[in-house]
Amino acid sequence: MSWDAAGCERAVAKAQSYGMDFLEIALLDPLSVDVKHSRQVLEAAGMRAVCSLGLPQPIWASHNPDGAVEFLTTALDKCAAIGAEALSGVVYGGIGERTGQPPTPAELDNVTDALVRTAKHAKSLGLPLGIEPVNRYETHLLNTGWQAVEMIERIGLDNMFVHLDTYHMNIEEKGIAQGIVDAREHLRYIHLSESDRGTPGAGTIAWDEVFGALRAVGFKGGLAMESFVNMPPEIASGLSVWRPVASGEAEVMGNGLPFLRNKARQYGLI
C-alpha cells in the first residue's frame, strides 16, 4: 500500500518468496523514501527493482513543467540511491488527467520540455526513463504505442523507452498486438495486466497475441505482472477501481503468476 519501511520489507520478502526476478516500486511520495533502508533490503534479498509513478495534479507537466521536473528529479535521485534500474510510468502527467479535449500543442510542448530536462538528468545518473501510454479515461495526452513513440522521437534522447500495458492496449490499440509492433524499436518494458486488472488468465486479454507479438519483435525487456488487488486510495480513485478485482493475493499469485510464466516460457521469452 505504501513504500515505507514496513511496506518495503513485506514487498521484498513476498517477491522473493514467489521467485520473482524484480519488483516494481510505486514511488508515489519520493521525499518520504528511506533510500538507505530500501537499498539494504533489496540488496540483502538480491532483488532488482524499477520505480514507477504518476504526477500529482498541481505539477502535471502539461501546465506546470517546472514543477514536474522538480518532482521527477527528486524521484530519479531516489531511484539511483535505491539502486533501481529505471523510472517509468505516467511520468508525463497524472492518472486521471483529462481536459475534455484532445491535447493542445501547448500542452504537448510543455510535456516535451519537462521530459527533455528529466531525461537529461536521468542520463546523468545512468538511468533509463520510460513513458507509459494509458487509456483515454486516465489521460488525454498519450494513449497508444505510436503516440509514445512520437513523443520519444520528438524528445530525441537515447535513454528513453516505451512502457506498454496490456490493460490499456486492450482498450486503445486497433489490435492488442499493434502497440507492440508500433513501439518495437523503443519497447523495453510491459505491464502484463488482465482486462479487469485482476488475475492474469481470468479475463479477456488475448495473451497469445501479446506474447506472440513480443516474440516476433525480439522483446528482451522487463515483463511485469500488474494486478490491483490492494492499492492506495489515491490510485484507486485515479484508476476508477470500485470493487475487488480478485479474491486476494492467493488467487493472483497462485494462478496469475504461473499463467504468465508458462506463456512466457511457451514463447521463449524466459
Side-chain angles (χ1 to χ4, degrees):
M1 295 292 283
S2 60
W3 193 260
D4 53 17
C8 167
E9 291 172 10
R10 180 181 186 276
V12 172
K14 285 285 187 179
Q16 189 177 31
S17 73
Y18 287 111
M20 304 189 87
D21 299 303
F22 68 92
L23 185 67
E24 182 176 317
I25 300 169
L27 208 63
L28 304 178
D29 184 11
L31 284 173
S32 71
V33 176
D34 183 339
V35 294
K36 182 178 179 180
H37 174 265
S38 293
R39 187 164 194 140
Q40 287 175 340
V41 173
L42 289 164
E43 287 182 348
M47 184 62 60
R48 299 165 63 192
V50 298
C51 295
S52 65
L53 55 80
L55 297 175
Q57 184 170 357
I59 55 169
W60 286 348
S62 60
H63 65 260
N64 186 358
D66 291 341
V69 171
E70 182 180 359
F71 184 89
L72 290 166
T73 296
T74 299
L76 284 163
D77 290 343
K78 294 285 187 173
C79 285
I82 288 171
E85 298 180 19
L87 176 67
S88 192
V90 190
V91 298
Y92 54 87
I95 299 170
E97 178 180 0
R98 299 184 309 276
T99 62
Q101 300 292 330
T104 66
E107 287 176 323
L108 293 176
D109 286 345
N110 282 341
V111 169
T112 303
D113 171 47
L115 290 179
V116 166
R117 288 188 276 160
T118 300
K120 286 180 178 177
H121 184 66
K123 192 165 187 176
S124 75
L125 299 171
L127 288 173
L129 178 69
I131 54 174
E132 179 187 11
V134 297
N135 72 78
R136 68 190 71 188
Y137 308 109
E138 294 179 31
T139 187
H140 68 299
L141 295 170
L142 300 175
N143 305 129
T144 66
W146 66 262
Q147 286 178 305
V149 168
E150 281 192 347
M151 178 57 69
I152 284 177
E153 293 183 347
R154 182 176 183 174
I155 291 163
L157 293 171
D158 62 7
N159 65 319
M160 292 202 67
F161 65 92
V162 175
H163 161 183
L164 292 180
D165 183 310
T166 54
Y167 171 81
H168 302 297
M169 294 155 62
N170 192 46
I171 296 171
E172 296 295 341
E173 303 291 351
K174 295 296 187 184
I176 197 165
Q178 190 64 48
I180 294 169
V181 173
D182 288 343
R184 59 191 178 276
E185 293 180 7
H186 300 282
L187 180 61
R188 294 177 61 183
Y189 196 67
I190 186 166
H191 279 164
L192 303 171
S193 186
E194 193 46 86
S195 55
D196 64 349
R197 312 195 102 142
T199 305
T204 62
I205 293 292
W207 290 109
D208 286 301
E209 292 183 35
V210 170
F211 282 96
L214 291 172
R215 170 66 180 268
V217 301
F219 181 75
K220 302 294 183 184
L223 298 161
M225 184 178 76
E226 183 180 56
S227 176
F228 292 105
V229 179
N230 298 306
M231 71 188 89
E234 62 269 28
I235 296 297
S237 175
L239 300 179
S240 299
V241 176
W242 315 120
R243 66 183 190 279
V245 294
S247 62
E249 176 190 319
E251 178 187 340
V252 172
M253 304 304 288
N255 298 337
L257 183 57
F259 173 84
L260 291 177
R261 279 182 169 150
N262 287 339
K263 283 294 178 189
R265 290 190 187 99
Q266 179 184 349
Y267 285 90
L269 296 172
I270 60 174

